[in-house]
């Protein structure tokens, strides 16, 4: 599966849970580490964690696993690294 398809899954997962200000940044020409950054906001700690959970669940359906996850316990922000793209809630 191409990076663009994965990022669209993430964007849809965020949109399902009414994430705020969803942005997809194409950083292929700026970063050798990743192709895209997908960024959004949540309205509370519970909302942020729910968005992150939905992203993870949707990607698991396609057998896409994350490399790392940071900030999940506090849920003021969550950063998830999937290799060719990063998700920041």
């Amino acid at each position: 599966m191409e990076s663009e398809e994965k990022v669209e899954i993430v964007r849809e997962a965020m949109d399902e849970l009414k994430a705020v200000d969803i942005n997809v940044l194409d950083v292929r020409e700026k970063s050798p580490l990743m192709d895209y950054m997908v960024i959004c906001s949540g309205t509370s700690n519970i909302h942020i964690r729910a968005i992150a959970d939905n992203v993870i669940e949707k990607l698991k359906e396609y057998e896409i696993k994350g490399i790392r996850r940071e900030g999940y316990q506090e849920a003021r922000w969550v950063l998830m690294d999937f290799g060719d793209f990063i998700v920041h809630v």
Side-chain angles (χ1 to χ4, degrees), residues 7-68:
V7 166
E8 184 58 25
I9 294 166
V10 171
R11 194 196 60 70
E12 289 175 5
M14 290 174 166
D15 194 46
E16 277 182 12
L17 291 184
K18 309 291 189 243
V20 180
D21 297 328
I22 301 169
N23 289 292
V24 177
L25 305 175
D26 183 344
V27 295
R28 289 178 287 192
E29 294 185 19
K30 298 180 188 325
S31 173
L33 302 176
M34 69 190 107
D35 294 337
Y36 294 94
M37 293 180 70
V38 187
I39 304 167
C40 75
S41 296
T43 57
S44 68
N45 295 22
I46 293 167
H47 190 212
I48 289 169
R49 191 174 289 125
I51 293 166
D53 287 341
N54 200 42
V55 167
I56 291 166
E57 287 304 313
K58 295 295 180 179
L59 290 172
K60 277 184 183 177
E61 290 175 14
Y62 294 91
E63 298 181 4
I64 301 167
K65 297 179 182 171
I67 296 171
R68 290 186 58 138

Side-chain angles (χ1 to χ4, degrees), residues 52 55-56 59 64-72 77-88:
V55 167
I56 291 166
L59 290 172
I64 301 167
K65 297 179 182 171
I67 296 171
R68 290 186 58 138
R69 180 174 67 183
E70 297 290 333
Y72 183 83
W77 54 266
V78 178
L79 181 68
M80 297 174 283
D81 184 350
F82 291 92
D84 51 346
F85 64 96
I86 288 180
V87 175
H88 188 271

